[in-house]
Structures are given as structure tokens and as C-alpha cells.
Amino acid sequence: MDVDDIKNILLKNLALDEAYVSLYKDNYQIIAVSHIFYDGMTELERHKIIYAPLMKYILNNEIHSISIQAFNPQEWNKKRGLCDV
């Protein structure tokens, strides 16, 4: 499974504004940006949302390891150093 497969699964199944997927060894790094990640939502809650459409691939060992960062658009803009408009 390559990074484009993971990205397409996430974009197809979740209301994401942006998704970035990279691979280092067998660890997929995922950055997801969406309005579904509201202020006050815990990191665990956000991760569960990302894991849901990937679970069957994790269970059959097509995906071994995942690192997730999930942001709402305001958090993502702040992380990238952009001003809220």
C-alpha cells in the first residue's frame, strides 16, 4: 500500500480539507486538516476518526505503523504560521 492509496482512502471516507501522507520505513505519517476536528476535541478522538477507514488495512497488516497529526483549519494555519482571515 502506498501513500496515494492511504490519502485516497482518507479523502474518500472523511470530510477532510487537506490530507498529507508520507512514508518513512514502514511508518505512515498522516497530517489531516478538517473542520470536523473542532476546538476541545481530544487528540484520541481525532485519531479514532482517522483510524476508522484504515482499520481493515491495519488488521490485515497492509499498514504496520501510523503517526497522526489532525488539525482544524485554524490550528493548521497557526501551525504553518499563517494568520486567521
Coordinates of all heavy atoms in Angstrom, one line a residue:
M1 N 0.9 -1.2 0.0 CA 0.0 0.0 0.0 C 0.9 1.2 0.0 O 1.8 1.3 0.8 CB -0.9 0.0 1.3 CG -1.8 1.1 1.4 SD -3.1 0.8 2.5 CE -4.3 0.0 1.4
D2 N 0.6 2.1 -0.9 CA 1.5 3.3 -1.0 C 0.8 4.6 -0.4 O -0.4 4.5 0.0 CB 2.0 3.6 -2.4 CG 0.9 3.9 -3.4 OD1 -0.1 4.5 -3.0 OD2 1.2 3.7 -4.6
V3 N 1.5 5.7 -0.4 CA 1.0 6.9 0.3 C -0.3 7.4 -0.5 O -1.2 7.9 0.2 CB 2.0 8.0 0.4 CG1 3.1 7.5 1.3 CG2 2.6 8.4 -0.9
D4 N -0.3 7.3 -1.8 CA -1.5 7.7 -2.5 C -2.7 6.9 -2.2 O -3.8 7.4 -2.1 CB -1.2 7.7 -4.0 CG -0.3 8.8 -4.5 OD1 -0.2 9.8 -3.8 OD2 0.4 8.5 -5.5
D5 N -2.6 5.6 -1.9 CA -3.7 4.7 -1.5 C -4.3 5.2 -0.2 O -5.5 5.3 -0.1 CB -3.2 3.3 -1.4 CG -2.8 2.6 -2.7 OD1 -3.3 3.1 -3.8 OD2 -2.0 1.7 -2.7
I6 N -3.4 5.5 0.8 CA -3.8 5.9 2.1 C -4.5 7.3 2.0 O -5.6 7.5 2.5 CB -2.6 6.1 3.0 CG1 -1.9 4.8 3.2 CG2 -3.1 6.6 4.4 CD1 -2.4 3.8 4.1
K7 N -3.9 8.2 1.2 CA -4.5 9.5 1.1 C -5.9 9.4 0.4 O -6.9 10.0 0.9 CB -3.6 10.4 0.2 CG -4.2 11.8 0.0 CD -3.2 12.7 -0.8 CE -3.7 14.1 -0.9 NZ -2.8 14.9 -1.6
N8 N -6.0 8.6 -0.6 CA -7.3 8.4 -1.3 C -8.4 7.8 -0.4 O -9.6 8.2 -0.4 CB -7.2 7.6 -2.6 CG -6.4 8.3 -3.6 OD1 -6.5 9.6 -3.7 ND2 -5.7 7.6 -4.5
I9 N -8.0 6.9 0.4 CA -8.9 6.2 1.4 C -9.4 7.3 2.4 O -10.6 7.4 2.6 CB -8.3 5.1 2.1 CG1 -8.0 3.9 1.2 CG2 -9.1 4.6 3.4 CD1 -7.1 2.9 1.7
L10 N -8.5 8.1 2.9 CA -8.9 9.1 3.8 C -9.8 10.2 3.2 O -10.8 10.6 3.8 CB -7.7 9.8 4.4 CG -6.8 8.9 5.3 CD1 -5.5 9.6 5.7 CD2 -7.5 8.5 6.6
L11 N -9.5 10.7 2.0 CA -10.2 11.7 1.4 C -11.6 11.2 0.9 O -12.6 11.9 1.0 CB -9.5 12.2 0.1 CG -8.3 13.1 0.5 CD1 -7.5 13.4 -0.8 CD2 -8.6 14.4 1.2
K12 N -11.7 9.9 0.6 CA -13.0 9.3 0.1 C -13.9 9.1 1.3 O -15.1 9.3 1.2 CB -12.7 8.0 -0.5 CG -13.9 7.3 -1.0 CD -13.6 5.9 -1.6 CE -14.9 5.2 -1.9 NZ -14.7 3.8 -2.3
N13 N -13.4 8.8 2.5 CA -14.2 8.4 3.6 C -14.4 9.4 4.7 O -15.3 9.3 5.5 CB -13.6 7.1 4.3 CG -13.7 5.9 3.4 OD1 -14.8 5.3 3.3 ND2 -12.7 5.5 2.7
L14 N -13.6 10.5 4.7 CA -13.7 11.5 5.7 C -13.8 12.9 5.0 O -13.4 13.1 3.9 CB -12.4 11.5 6.6 CG -12.1 10.2 7.3 CD1 -10.8 10.3 8.0 CD2 -13.2 9.9 8.3
A15 N -14.5 13.8 5.7 CA -14.6 15.2 5.2 C -13.4 16.0 5.5 O -13.4 16.9 6.4 CB -15.9 15.8 5.8
L16 N -12.3 15.7 4.8 CA -11.0 16.3 5.0 C -10.8 17.5 4.0 O -11.2 17.3 2.9 CB -9.8 15.4 4.9 CG -9.8 14.2 5.9 CD1 -8.6 13.3 5.6 CD2 -9.9 14.7 7.3
D17 N -10.3 18.6 4.5 CA -10.0 19.7 3.7 C -8.6 19.4 3.0 O -8.4 19.8 1.8 CB -9.9 21.0 4.5 CG -11.2 21.4 5.1 OD1 -12.3 21.1 4.6 OD2 -11.2 21.9 6.3
E18 N -7.7 18.9 3.7 CA -6.4 18.5 3.2 C -5.9 17.3 3.9 O -6.3 17.0 5.0 CB -5.4 19.6 3.6 CG -5.7 21.0 3.0 CD -4.7 22.1 3.5 OE1 -3.5 21.9 3.2 OE2 -5.2 23.0 4.1
A19 N -5.1 16.5 3.2 CA -4.5 15.3 3.7 C -3.1 15.2 3.1 O -2.9 15.3 1.9 CB -5.3 14.1 3.4
Y20 N -2.2 14.9 4.0 CA -0.8 14.7 3.6 C -0.3 13.4 4.2 O -0.5 13.2 5.3 CB 0.1 15.9 4.1 CG -0.3 17.2 3.7 CD1 -1.1 18.0 4.5 CD2 0.0 17.7 2.4 CE1 -1.6 19.3 4.1 CE2 -0.4 19.0 2.0 CZ -1.2 19.7 2.9 OH -1.7 21.0 2.5
V21 N 0.2 12.6 3.3 CA 0.7 11.2 3.8 C 2.1 11.0 3.2 O 2.4 11.2 2.1 CB -0.2 10.1 3.2 CG1 0.3 8.8 3.8 CG2 -1.7 10.3 3.6
S22 N 3.0 10.6 4.1 CA 4.3 10.3 3.7 C 4.7 9.0 4.4 O 4.0 8.5 5.3 CB 5.3 11.4 4.1 OG 5.3 11.6 5.5
L23 N 5.8 8.4 3.9 CA 6.2 7.1 4.4 C 7.7 7.1 4.8 O 8.5 7.5 3.9 CB 5.9 6.0 3.4 CG 6.3 4.5 3.7 CD1 5.5 4.0 4.9 CD2 6.0 3.7 2.5
Y24 N 8.0 6.7 6.0 CA 9.4 6.5 6.4 C 9.5 5.1 6.9 O 8.9 4.8 7.9 CB 9.8 7.6 7.4 CG 11.2 7.4 7.8 CD1 12.3 7.8 7.0 CD2 11.5 6.9 9.1 CE1 13.6 7.6 7.4 CE2 12.8 6.7 9.5 CZ 13.8 7.1 8.7 OH 15.1 6.9 9.1
K25 N 10.3 4.3 6.2 CA 10.4 2.9 6.5 C 9.0 2.3 6.5 O 8.4 2.3 5.5 CB 11.1 2.6 7.8 CG 12.6 3.2 7.8 CD 13.4 2.8 8.9 CE 14.8 3.4 8.7 NZ 15.7 3.0 9.8
D26 N 8.5 1.7 7.6 CA 7.1 1.2 7.5 C 6.1 2.0 8.3 O 5.1 1.6 8.7 CB 6.9 -0.3 7.8 CG 8.0 -0.9 8.5 OD1 9.1 -0.5 8.4 OD2 7.8 -2.0 9.2
N27 N 6.5 3.3 8.6 CA 5.6 4.2 9.3 C 5.0 5.3 8.4 O 5.7 6.1 7.9 CB 6.4 4.8 10.5 CG 5.6 5.7 11.3 OD1 4.4 5.8 11.2 ND2 6.2 6.4 12.3
Y28 N 3.7 5.2 8.3 CA 3.0 6.3 7.6 C 2.8 7.5 8.5 O 2.3 7.3 9.6 CB 1.6 5.8 7.1 CG 1.7 4.7 6.0 CD1 1.7 3.4 6.3 CD2 1.8 5.1 4.7 CE1 1.8 2.4 5.3 CE2 1.9 4.1 3.7 CZ 1.9 2.8 4.0 OH 2.0 1.8 3.0
Q29 N 3.2 8.6 8.0 CA 2.9 9.9 8.7 C 1.7 10.6 8.0 O 1.8 10.8 6.8 CB 4.1 10.8 8.7 CG 5.3 10.3 9.5 CD 6.3 9.5 8.7 OE1 6.5 9.9 7.6 NE2 6.9 8.5 9.3
I30 N 0.7 10.8 8.8 CA -0.5 11.4 8.2 C -0.8 12.8 8.9 O -0.7 12.9 10.1 CB -1.7 10.5 8.5 CG1 -1.5 9.2 7.8 CG2 -3.0 11.2 8.1 CD1 -2.6 8.1 8.2
I31 N -1.0 13.8 8.1 CA -1.5 15.1 8.6 C -2.8 15.3 7.9 O -3.0 15.2 6.7 CB -0.5 16.2 8.2 CG1 0.9 16.1 8.8 CG2 -1.1 17.6 8.6 CD1 1.9 17.1 8.3
A32 N -3.8 15.5 8.8 CA -5.2 15.6 8.3 C -5.7 17.0 8.8 O -5.5 17.3 10.0 CB -6.1 14.5 8.8
V33 N -6.4 17.7 7.9 CA -6.9 19.0 8.2 C -8.4 19.0 7.9 O -8.8 18.7 6.7 CB -6.2 20.2 7.4 CG1 -6.8 21.5 7.8 CG2 -4.7 20.1 7.7
S34 N -9.2 19.3 8.8 CA -10.7 19.3 8.6 C -11.4 20.1 9.7 O -11.0 20.2 10.8 CB -11.2 17.9 8.6 OG -12.6 17.9 8.4
H35 N -12.6 20.7 9.2 CA -13.5 21.3 10.2 C -14.1 20.3 11.2 O -14.6 20.7 12.2 CB -14.6 22.1 9.4 CG -15.4 21.1 8.6 ND1 -15.0 20.7 7.3 CD2 -16.6 20.6 8.8 CE1 -15.9 19.8 6.9 NE2 -16.9 19.8 7.7
I36 N -14.0 19.0 10.9 CA -14.6 18.0 11.8 C -13.8 17.9 13.1 O -14.3 17.4 14.1 CB -14.7 16.6 11.1 CG1 -13.4 16.0 10.7 CG2 -15.7 16.7 10.0 CD1 -13.4 14.6 10.2
F37 N -12.6 18.4 13.1 CA -11.7 18.5 14.3 C -12.0 19.8 15.0 O -11.2 20.7 14.8 CB -10.3 18.3 13.9 CG -10.0 17.0 13.1 CD1 -9.3 17.1 11.9 CD2 -10.4 15.8 13.6 CE1 -9.1 16.0 11.2 CE2 -10.1 14.6 12.8 CZ -9.4 14.7 11.6
Y38 N -13.0 19.8 15.8 CA -13.4 21.0 16.5 C -12.5 21.3 17.7 O -11.8 20.5 18.2 CB -14.8 21.0 16.9 CG -15.2 19.8 17.8 CD1 -15.0 19.9 19.2 CD2 -15.7 18.6 17.3 CE1 -15.3 18.8 20.0 CE2 -16.0 17.6 18.1 CZ -15.8 17.7 19.5 OH -16.1 16.6 20.3
D39 N -12.5 22.6 18.1 CA -11.8 23.0 19.3 C -12.3 22.2 20.5 O -13.5 22.0 20.7 CB -11.9 24.5 19.6 CG -11.2 25.4 18.6 OD1 -10.2 24.9 18.1 OD2 -11.6 26.5 18.4
G40 N -11.4 21.8 21.3 CA -11.7 21.0 22.5 C -11.8 19.5 22.3 O -11.9 18.7 23.2
M41 N -11.7 19.1 21.0 CA -11.7 17.6 20.7 C -10.3 17.1 21.1 O -9.3 17.7 20.8 CB -12.0 17.4 19.2 CG -11.9 15.9 18.8 SD -12.2 15.8 17.0 CE -14.0 15.5 17.0
T42 N -10.3 16.0 21.8 CA -9.1 15.4 22.2 C -8.3 14.8 21.1 O -8.9 14.5 20.0 CB -9.3 14.3 23.3 OG1 -9.9 13.2 22.7 CG2 -10.1 14.8 24.5
E43 N -7.0 14.6 21.3 CA -6.2 14.0 20.3 C -6.6 12.6 20.0 O -6.7 12.1 18.9 CB -4.7 14.0 20.8 CG -3.7 13.5 19.7 CD -2.3 13.7 20.2 OE1 -2.0 14.2 21.3 OE2 -1.4 13.3 19.4
L44 N -7.0 11.9 21.1 CA -7.5 10.5 20.9 C -8.8 10.5 20.0 O -8.9 9.6 19.1 CB -7.8 9.9 22.3 CG -8.3 8.4 22.3 CD1 -7.4 7.5 21.6 CD2 -8.6 8.0 23.7
E45 N -9.7 11.4 20.2 CA -10.9 11.4 19.4 C -10.6 11.7 18.0 O -11.2 11.1 17.1 CB -11.8 12.5 19.9 CG -12.5 12.2 21.3 CD -13.2 13.4 21.9 OE1 -12.7 14.6 21.7 OE2 -14.2 13.2 22.5
R46 N -9.6 12.6 17.7 CA -9.2 12.9 16.4 C -8.6 11.7 15.7 O -8.8 11.3 14.6 CB -8.3 14.1 16.3 CG -8.9 15.4 16.8 CD -7.9 16.5 16.9 NE -8.5 17.7 17.5 CZ -8.3 18.9 17.1 NH1 -7.4 19.1 16.1 NH2 -8.9 19.9 17.6
H47 N -7.7 11.0 16.5 CA -7.0 9.8 15.9 C -8.0 8.7 15.6 O -7.9 8.0 14.6 CB -6.0 9.3 16.9 CG -4.8 10.1 17.0 ND1 -3.6 9.7 17.5 CD2 -4.5 11.4 16.6 CE1 -2.7 10.6 17.4 NE2 -3.2 11.7 16.9
K48 N -9.1 8.5 16.4 CA -10.1 7.5 16.2 C -10.8 7.7 14.8 O -11.1 6.8 14.1 CB -11.1 7.5 17.3 CG -10.6 6.8 18.5 CD -11.7 6.8 19.6 CE -11.3 6.2 20.9 NZ -12.4 6.2 21.9
I49 N -11.0 9.0 14.5 CA -11.6 9.4 13.2 C -10.8 8.9 12.1 O -11.2 8.4 11.1 CB -12.0 10.9 13.2 CG1 -13.1 11.2 14.2 CG2 -12.3 11.3 11.8 CD1 -13.3 12.7 14.4
I50 N -9.5 9.2 12.2 CA -8.5 8.9 11.1 C -8.3 7.3 11.0 O -8.3 6.8 9.9 CB -7.1 9.5 11.4 CG1 -7.3 11.0 11.4 CG2 -6.1 9.1 10.3 CD1 -7.8 11.7 10.1
Y51 N -8.3 6.7 12.1 CA -8.1 5.2 12.1 C -9.3 4.5 11.5 O -9.1 3.4 10.9 CB -7.9 4.7 13.6 CG -6.5 4.7 14.0 CD1 -6.0 5.5 15.0 CD2 -5.6 3.7 13.5 CE1 -4.7 5.5 15.5 CE2 -4.3 3.7 14.0 CZ -3.9 4.6 14.9 OH -2.6 4.6 15.4
A52 N -10.5 5.0 11.7 CA -11.7 4.2 11.3 C -11.6 3.7 9.9 O -11.8 2.5 9.7 CB -12.9 5.1 11.5
P53 N -11.4 4.5 8.8 CA -11.4 4.0 7.5 C -10.1 3.1 7.1 O -10.1 2.4 6.1 CB -11.5 5.2 6.6 CG -10.9 6.3 7.4 CD -11.3 6.0 8.8
L54 N -9.1 3.2 8.0 CA -7.9 2.4 7.8 C -7.8 1.1 8.5 O -6.9 0.3 8.3 CB -6.7 3.3 8.2 CG -6.5 4.7 7.4 CD1 -5.4 5.4 8.0 CD2 -6.4 4.4 6.0
M55 N -8.8 0.9 9.4 CA -8.7 -0.3 10.3 C -8.6 -1.6 9.6 O -7.8 -2.4 10.0 CB -9.9 -0.3 11.3 CG -9.7 -1.2 12.4 SD -8.2 -1.0 13.4 CE -8.5 0.6 14.1
K56 N -9.3 -1.8 8.6 CA -9.2 -3.1 7.9 C -7.8 -3.4 7.3 O -7.3 -4.5 7.3 CB -10.3 -3.3 6.8 CG -10.2 -2.5 5.6 CD -11.3 -2.8 4.6 CE -11.2 -2.0 3.4 NZ -12.3 -2.2 2.4
Y57 N -7.1 -2.3 6.9 CA -5.8 -2.4 6.4 C -4.8 -2.6 7.5 O -3.7 -3.3 7.3 CB -5.4 -1.2 5.5 CG -6.4 -0.9 4.4 CD1 -7.4 0.1 4.6 CD2 -6.4 -1.7 3.3 CE1 -8.4 0.3 3.6 CE2 -7.4 -1.4 2.3 CZ -8.3 -0.5 2.4 OH -9.3 -0.2 1.5
I58 N -5.0 -2.1 8.6 CA -4.2 -2.3 9.8 C -4.3 -3.7 10.3 O -3.3 -4.4 10.5 CB -4.5 -1.3 10.9 CG1 -4.2 0.1 10.5 CG2 -3.8 -1.7 12.2 CD1 -4.8 1.2 11.4
L59 N -5.6 -4.2 10.3 CA -5.8 -5.6 10.8 C -5.3 -6.6 9.9 O -4.9 -7.7 10.3 CB -7.3 -5.8 11.0 CG -7.9 -5.0 12.1 CD1 -9.4 -5.2 12.2 CD2 -7.3 -5.4 13.5
N60 N -5.2 -6.4 8.6 CA -4.6 -7.4 7.7 C -3.1 -7.1 7.4 O -2.6 -7.7 6.4 CB -5.5 -7.5 6.4 CG -5.4 -6.4 5.4 OD1 -4.5 -5.5 5.6 ND2 -6.3 -6.3 4.5
N61 N -2.5 -6.2 8.1 CA -1.1 -5.9 8.1 C -0.6 -5.2 6.8 O 0.6 -5.2 6.5 CB -0.3 -7.1 8.4 CG -0.4 -7.6 9.8 OD1 -0.4 -6.8 10.7 ND2 -0.5 -8.9 10.0
E62 N -1.6 -4.6 6.1 CA -1.1 -3.8 4.9 C -0.5 -2.5 5.4 O 0.3 -1.9 4.7 CB -2.3 -3.5 4.0 CG -2.7 -4.7 3.2 CD -3.8 -4.4 2.2 OE1 -3.6 -3.6 1.3 OE2 -4.9 -5.0 2.4
I63 N -1.0 -2.0 6.6 CA -0.5 -0.9 7.2 C 0.1 -1.3 8.6 O -0.6 -1.9 9.4 CB -1.6 0.2 7.5 CG1 -2.1 0.7 6.1 CG2 -1.0 1.4 8.3 CD1 -3.3 1.7 6.3
H64 N 1.4 -1.0 8.8 CA 2.0 -1.5 10.0 C 2.0 -0.5 11.1 O 1.7 -0.8 12.3 CB 3.4 -1.9 9.7 CG 4.2 -2.3 10.9 ND1 4.0 -3.5 11.6 CD2 5.2 -1.7 11.6 CE1 4.8 -3.5 12.7 NE2 5.6 -2.5 12.7
S65 N 2.3 0.8 10.8 CA 2.5 1.8 11.8 C 2.0 3.1 11.2 O 2.3 3.4 10.1 CB 4.0 1.9 12.2 OG 4.2 2.9 13.0
I66 N 1.4 3.9 12.1 CA 0.9 5.2 11.7 C 1.2 6.3 12.7 O 1.0 6.0 13.9 CB -0.7 5.2 11.5 CG1 -1.1 4.2 10.4 CG2 -1.2 6.6 11.1 CD1 -2.6 4.1 10.3
S67 N 1.6 7.4 12.3 CA 1.7 8.6 13.1 C 0.7 9.6 12.6 O 0.7 9.9 11.4 CB 3.1 9.2 13.0 OG 4.1 8.3 13.5
I68 N -0.1 10.2 13.5 CA -1.2 11.1 13.0 C -1.1 12.4 13.7 O -0.9 12.5 14.9 CB -2.6 10.5 13.4 CG1 -2.8 9.1 12.7 CG2 -3.7 11.5 13.0 CD1 -4.0 8.4 13.2
Q69 N -1.3 13.5 12.9 CA -1.5 14.8 13.4 C -2.8 15.3 12.7 O -2.9 15.3 11.5 CB -0.3 15.7 13.0 CG 1.0 15.4 13.6 CD 2.1 16.3 13.2 OE1 2.0 17.5 13.5 NE2 3.1 15.8 12.5
A70 N -3.7 15.7 13.5 CA -5.0 16.2 13.0 C -5.3 17.6 13.5 O -5.2 17.8 14.7 CB -6.1 15.2 13.4
F71 N -5.6 18.4 12.6 CA -5.9 19.9 12.9 C -7.2 20.3 12.3 O -7.6 19.9 11.2 CB -4.8 20.7 12.3 CG -3.4 20.3 12.7 CD1 -2.6 19.5 11.8 CD2 -2.8 20.8 13.9 CE1 -1.3 19.2 12.2 CE2 -1.5 20.5 14.2 CZ -0.8 19.7 13.4
N72 N -7.8 21.3 12.9 CA -8.9 22.0 12.2 C -8.2 23.1 11.4 O -7.0 23.4 11.6 CB -9.9 22.6 13.2 CG -9.4 23.6 14.2 OD1 -8.7 24.5 13.9 ND2 -9.9 23.4 15.4
P73 N -8.9 23.8 10.5 CA -8.2 24.8 9.6 C -7.5 25.9 10.4 O -6.4 26.3 10.0 CB -9.3 25.3 8.7 CG -10.3 24.2 8.7 CD -10.2 23.5 10.0
Q74 N -8.1 26.4 11.5 CA -7.5 27.5 12.2 C -6.2 27.0 12.9 O -5.2 27.7 12.9 CB -8.4 28.0 13.3 CG -9.7 28.7 12.8 CD -10.7 27.6 12.3 OE1 -10.7 26.5 12.6 NE2 -11.7 28.1 11.5
E75 N -6.2 25.8 13.4 CA -5.0 25.2 14.0 C -3.9 25.0 13.0 O -2.7 25.3 13.2 CB -5.3 23.9 14.7 CG -6.2 24.0 15.9 CD -6.7 22.7 16.4 OE1 -6.8 21.7 15.6 OE2 -7.1 22.6 17.6
W76 N -4.3 24.5 11.8 CA -3.3 24.3 10.7 C -2.7 25.6 10.3 O -1.5 25.6 10.0 CB -4.0 23.5 9.6 CG -3.2 23.2 8.4 CD1 -3.3 23.6 7.1 CD2 -2.0 22.4 8.5 NE1 -2.3 23.1 6.4 CE2 -1.5 22.3 7.1 CE3 -1.3 21.7 9.5 CZ2 -0.3 21.6 6.8 CZ3 -0.1 21.0 9.1 CH2 0.4 21.0 7.8
N77 N -3.5 26.6 10.1 CA -3.0 27.9 9.7 C -2.0 28.4 10.7 O -0.9 29.0 10.4 CB -4.1 28.9 9.5 CG -4.8 28.6 8.2 OD1 -4.3 28.0 7.3 ND2 -6.1 29.1 8.1
K78 N -2.3 28.3 12.0 CA -1.4 28.7 13.1 C -0.1 27.9 13.0 O 1.0 28.4 13.2 CB -2.1 28.6 14.4 CG -1.3 29.2 15.6 CD -2.0 29.0 16.9 CE -3.2 29.8 17.0 NZ -3.9 29.7 18.3
K79 N -0.2 26.6 12.8 CA 0.9 25.7 12.8 C 1.8 26.1 11.6 O 3.1 26.0 11.8 CB 0.4 24.2 12.6 CG 1.5 23.2 12.5 CD 2.0 22.7 13.8 CE 2.9 21.5 13.6 NZ 3.6 21.2 14.8
R80 N 1.3 26.5 10.5 CA 2.1 26.9 9.4 C 2.5 28.3 9.4 O 3.2 28.8 8.5 CB 1.3 26.6 8.1 CG 1.0 25.2 7.8 CD 0.4 25.0 6.5 NE -0.7 25.9 6.2 CZ -1.3 26.1 5.0 NH1 -0.8 25.4 4.0 NH2 -2.3 26.9 4.9
G81 N 2.1 29.0 10.5 CA 2.5 30.4 10.7 C 1.7 31.4 9.9 O 2.1 32.5 9.6
L82 N 0.4 31.0 9.5 CA -0.4 31.9 8.7 C -1.4 32.6 9.7 O -1.8 32.0 10.7 CB -1.2 31.1 7.7 CG -0.4 30.4 6.6 CD1 -1.3 29.6 5.7 CD2 0.5 31.4 5.9
C83 N -1.9 33.7 9.3 CA -2.9 34.5 10.1 C -4.3 34.0 9.8 O -4.5 33.6 8.7 CB -2.8 36.0 9.8 SG -1.3 36.7 10.2
D84 N -5.1 34.0 10.8 CA -6.5 33.7 10.5 C -7.1 34.8 9.7 O -6.9 36.0 10.0 CB -7.3 33.5 11.8 CG -7.0 32.2 12.6 OD1 -6.6 31.3 11.9 OD2 -7.1 32.2 13.8
V85 N -7.9 34.5 8.7 CA -8.5 35.5 7.9 C -10.0 35.6 8.2 O -10.6 34.7 8.4 CB -8.3 35.2 6.4 CG1 -8.9 36.2 5.5 CG2 -6.8 35.1 6.1

